[in-house]
Amino acid sequence: MLRTILEAQEVTNAKLEALTSDARHLQGEVAFIKENVASLKESQDKQDELLQQLVQGQERQDRILEALATRSLEQETEIRELKRIK
């Protein structure tokens, strides 16, 4: 009977060791995933910053084009007036 108990204990110990090994493996994977998530977050932050710079540049270009369009219309009006005066 003692032998049976010892054998059962050995099986239990083996299973416990396997579970412990699996838990360590999972901990390593979780740490790896956390590092990747942090890296992705950092990359996303950089992309967000670059996108914001692009948006600001586009807004500036839009304002410049609007000013140029207004100036062009003003010049066309002046040219028409000068032609009419001739």
Side-chain angles (χ1 to χ4, degrees):
M1 185 190 262
L2 183 58
R3 186 176 300 238
T4 304
I5 293 172
L6 288 174
E7 288 175 1
Q9 184 62 42
E10 287 177 11
V11 170
T12 301
N13 287 344
K15 287 180 181 179
L16 182 58
E17 284 181 34
L19 286 173
T20 301
S21 176
D22 288 347
R24 285 188 191 124
H25 179 72
L26 287 173
Q27 286 174 336
E29 287 184 5
V30 167
F32 178 75
I33 290 170
K34 283 182 179 181
E35 288 174 13
N36 284 339
V37 167
S39 176
L40 288 172
K41 173 82 170 96
E42 184 178 319
S43 178
Q44 182 65 43
D45 290 345
K46 288 178 184 177
Q47 288 179 358
D48 289 346
E49 183 179 324
L50 289 173
L51 180 60
Q52 184 60 32
Q53 290 174 1
L54 286 172
V55 167
Q56 290 172 349
Q58 184 63 46
E59 289 172 350
R60 182 175 174 265
Q61 291 293 325
D62 289 346
R63 288 190 303 271
I64 290 170
L65 287 174
E66 187 176 321
L68 289 173
T70 300
R71 182 68 181 143
S72 178
L73 289 172
E74 290 171 354
Q75 289 173 347
E76 287 179 18
T77 302
E78 289 173 1
I79 290 170
R80 269 191 246 118
E81 288 176 9
L82 289 172
K83 285 182 178 179
R84 224 178 330 159
I85 292 174
K86 282 186 173 182

